[in-house]
Amino acid sequence: MTFSKLKAWEIAQGYRNRDFSCEEVTREFLDNIKEKDKDINAYITVTEKMAIDQAKKVDEKFHNREEMSALAGVPISIKDNISVKDVKMTCGSKMLENYIAPYDASLVKKIKKNDGVILGKVNLDEFAMGASTRTSYFGVTKNPLDLTRVSGGSSGGSAASVSANMATISIGSDTGGSVRQPSSFCKTVGMKPTYGSISRFGMATMANTFDQPGVIANDVRDLTMMFNVIEGRDEKDATSVGNPGLNFDFDFSDDSIKNLKGKKFAIPKTYLNMDLNERVSGELNKAIEILKENGAVVEEYEIESLNHVIETYNILVNGEISSNMARFDSIRYGHRTDKKFETIEEMYRASRSEGFGDEVKRRIMIGTHILSMDNADEFYYKALKVRGLIKKDMDRMFKDYDFMICPTFPVLPFKIDDDMSPVEMYQADLFTVPANIVGSPSISLPMPAGEDGLSVGIEFTGKRFKDKDLLQASLAFERSLNK
Ligand code: GLN
């Protein structure tokens, strides 16, 4: 039996039928990691002992016929910017190379309480800044579908671990697309829920008004299973409000939930006027056809302000980054220089110069520039106003439409050694960042693979706190693809 090819919900059913034990399943996943991860580099830390101990505990509980959560015994990987107690949390940075998390993130606590099996911590762009994992201090994560390409980012380790059967579900974080973009690169399903649905406590902050934990899995049903567990208000995160739209149980045998009749999708005209990669636009057209064949309405819609999302996102996010990264002073924690220093200034300078990589430094510098005296009016406050405008425009669209549809990313996975400039990388985030700017839930769903094994991700974005509707439409779309 190859358990690792099963969906999480199939594994959960297998436990209940006594088809196999959690220890068997866990060992198979750990073996896969040993065999495949030499080439892929998804994991930074494998928590083998913790996973086996947990698996034995789960088997015992099943044996004793205890009431078990749907997530019990499901093998999970966690992005390495989320704290798991007593395990290294590097954030993909030399700065935290040896940092051991002293507590569990709130969402990790919930996973443990529900008896999920954590296999380890997975790679990311340094402090989640990037879209390829190339900025990670621990090297790039290769794409399991084609090892000459990147897995995407920043949650590239998460998507690759699921895609290569080295975990069934992974937790990532999404500030501007980091859960959805690697999902589209690795042919997995990835969703960022409404801002505030899941506690950020214990997740290293990149840009706090944009960051939200998200989930990567093999299908929509597995996503819902994880969201049910980790959703919720948390007094340790004042911006968390919880979201009943994520805490529910679909009756998956009920066909009416897999229906697209009457659902209205808007496709922004601005996107259609772009010079899209041919393969990507071809797949988008196929997706639109499938939606229509299944009773949905897809219409073009003009949102002029979407032309300004990249500038708005980068100004605001870098501003927040420059302030958030100030905490890495190498006094409370973080890399400390071996160089001799006379003043504390010199110590900060040397430690931070050595500890941070180029992308993090670039963003700290841009953010500091943007927030400094005169520039704050010119850039930061102006961008805040544009954020408001984009929100208004999207809200107007959502009065008439249920969802917005577009490709998740404008191109196929990059070659590992291509020479994209940082600015080209930033510009490519144009389809994913709107959801973070306005706080909407957004999902990437994979189209069937082409002959080269690669797939294009299609993104649906929904109304705030209507995550359940988004999941339901995604289920219906997924089923139409598999018919
Ligand atoms: N690619 C985006 C960026 O580099 C998104 C990052 C993220 O979502 N963490 O900013």
Side-chain angles (χ1 to χ4, degrees):
M1 178 99 195
T2 342
F3 311 118
S4 51
K5 292 215 160 67
L6 297 176
K7 310 274 193 306
W9 59 269
E10 291 170 322
I11 292 181
Q13 277 176 0
Y15 292 151
R16 279 150 186 86
N17 297 338
R18 307 290 187 264
D19 292 339
F20 40 74
S21 73
C22 181
E23 191 177 339
E24 281 175 276
V25 170
T26 305
R27 286 194 189 278
E28 185 180 306
F29 276 92
L30 290 168
D31 287 347
N32 278 356
I33 296 171
K34 273 186 201 134
E35 193 193 311
K36 297 184 181 183
D37 209 37
K38 291 191 287 292
D39 297 326
I40 294 172
N41 192 35
Y43 279 83
I44 294 178
T45 307
V46 181
T47 50
E48 179 162 354
K49 183 170 178 320
M50 203 173 96
I52 299 281
D53 288 350
Q54 171 64 9
K56 287 183 176 157
K57 216 172 87 192
V58 169
D59 283 335
E60 201 180 307
K61 285 190 180 180
F62 272 117
H63 182 77
N64 295 337
R65 303 199 175 272
E66 285 181 36
E67 183 90 30
M68 301 294 273
S69 153
L71 200 70
V74 168
I76 297 158
S77 67
I78 310 264
K79 187 174 180 176
D80 208 17
N81 61 349
I82 297 171
S83 306
V84 178
K85 191 171 188 292
D86 298 333
V87 177
K88 238 173 34 172
M89 179 177 81
T90 68
C91 292
S93 180
K94 178 178 170 142
M95 185 54 98
L96 294 180
E97 193 178 1
N98 299 312
Y99 173 74
I100 311 265
Y103 58 86
D104 280 324
S106 293
L107 74 88
V108 168
K109 242 189 202 157
K110 289 185 168 188
I111 289 174
K112 287 186 175 173
K113 197 161 162 243
N114 283 268
D115 287 306
V117 175
I118 295 173
L119 299 172
K121 307 288 298 293
V122 280
N123 200 17
L124 66 159
D125 283 287
E126 187 175 5
F127 286 101
M129 301 175 198
S132 66
T133 66
R134 286 188 290 216
T135 73
S136 169
Y137 176 64
F138 300 92
V140 68
T141 296
K142 293 180 185 160
N143 192 319
L145 306 175
D146 175 350
L147 294 176
T148 66
R149 294 174 190 267
V150 304
S151 58
S154 63
S155 315
S158 287
S161 66
V162 173
S163 176
N165 305 319
M166 300 191 290
T168 26
I169 304 184
S170 189
I171 304 289
S173 67
D174 194 309
T175 303
S178 278
V179 157
R180 290 160 287 157
Q181 188 260 23
S183 292
S184 88
F185 276 17
C186 295
K187 201 175 177 293
T188 53
V189 183
M191 177 166 151
K192 164 226 173 280
T194 300
Y195 182 82
S197 304
I198 299 167
S199 171
R200 292 183 292 113
F201 179 77
M203 184 172 96
T205 307
M206 175 174 157
N208 30 291
T209 70
F210 292 77
D211 298 342
Q212 187 59 197
V215 179
I216 294 177
N218 285 306
D219 72 359
V220 178
R221 184 166 178 176
D222 280 1
L223 282 190
T224 59
M225 195 160 126
M226 180 57 92
F227 280 134
N228 283 337
V229 168
I230 60 177
E231 170 277 335
R233 204 189 94 75
D234 175 16
E235 60 182 25
K236 294 196 177 105
D237 170 6
T239 62
S240 75
V241 286
N243 181 354
L246 283 175
N247 195 346
F248 61 91
D249 255 329
F250 280 130
D251 172 3
F252 288 93
S253 60
D254 173 6
D255 270 358
S256 69
I257 61 164
K258 299 167 190 158
N259 198 323
L260 282 163
K261 258 192 203 90
K263 298 276 183 252
K264 287 188 79 183
F265 288 77
I267 170 147
K269 274 192 195 154
T270 343
Y271 292 167
L272 292 170
N273 297 336
M274 273 168 195
D275 209 8
L276 276 181
N277 169 294
E278 235 171 73
R279 173 96 167 260
V280 173
S281 64
E283 293 296 310
L284 174 66
N285 288 335
K286 273 190 218 160
I288 293 174
E289 277 318 302
I290 290 169
L291 289 173
K292 286 182 177 166
E293 275 164 24
N294 286 279
V297 177
V298 186
E299 288 172 353
E300 292 179 25
Y301 185 89
E302 181 77 277
I303 309 186
E304 210 279 325
S305 56
L306 284 183
N307 289 313
H308 309 294
V309 291
I310 293 299
E311 296 85 339
T312 310
Y313 170 82
N314 281 292
I315 291 172
L316 296 176
V317 162
N318 287 334
E320 293 186 26
I321 285 173
S322 74
S323 131
N324 286 321
M325 299 311 283
R327 75 191 58 172
F328 298 101
D329 56 9
S330 113
I331 290 176
R332 285 161 299 177
Y333 38 74
H335 169 80
R336 168 75 62 94
T337 185
D338 287 334
K339 286 199 190 114
K340 283 216 170 65
F341 50 84
E342 302 276 314
T343 64
I344 189 145
E345 266 302 316
E346 282 172 26
M347 192 280 290
Y348 284 151
R349 193 185 299 267
S351 302
R352 285 167 65 88
S353 301
E354 292 165 15
F356 289 137
D358 287 350
E359 184 60 26
V360 174
K361 286 178 189 160
R362 184 177 300 119
R363 294 192 191 210
I364 293 174
M365 287 197 304
I366 298 173
T368 308
H369 176 75
I370 283 164
L371 291 179
S372 56
M373 274 303 250
D374 296 342
N375 294 334
D377 284 337
E378 176 76 14
F379 298 109
Y380 187 74
Y381 291 108
K382 219 181 246 176
L384 273 183
K385 284 187 195 149
V386 181
R387 186 179 199 176
L389 277 178
I390 298 169
K391 226 175 198 161
K392 252 196 201 147
D393 282 353
M394 299 252 312
D395 283 348
R396 199 173 305 135
M397 173 187 70
F398 281 134
K399 283 205 174 107
D400 293 327
Y401 295 91
D402 301 295
F403 312 105
M404 183 169 100
I405 176 177
C406 60
T408 306
F409 210 63
V411 290
L412 291 170
F414 326 119
K415 286 278 186 188
I416 286 175
D417 52 6
D418 75 6
D419 53 3
M420 279 179 88
S421 71
V423 173
E424 284 171 310
M425 291 286 293
Y426 302 155
Q427 282 168 339
D429 289 335
L430 83 166
F431 299 136
T432 47
V433 296
N436 304 78
I437 290 177
V438 306
S440 270
S442 187
I443 190 167
S444 176
L445 296 152
M447 291 298 282
E451 271 170 25
D452 54 5
L454 299 175
S455 140
V456 168
I458 299 297
E459 183 181 76
F460 297 172
T461 299
K463 300 176 193 178
R464 284 191 293 281
F465 296 103
K466 297 286 183 196
D467 301 55
K468 186 173 179 178
D469 295 348
L470 182 65
L471 284 162
Q472 189 253 312
S474 303
L475 258 180
F477 180 70
E478 182 180 77
R479 194 178 76 141
S480 311
L481 282 177
N482 295 334
K483 257 203 283 209

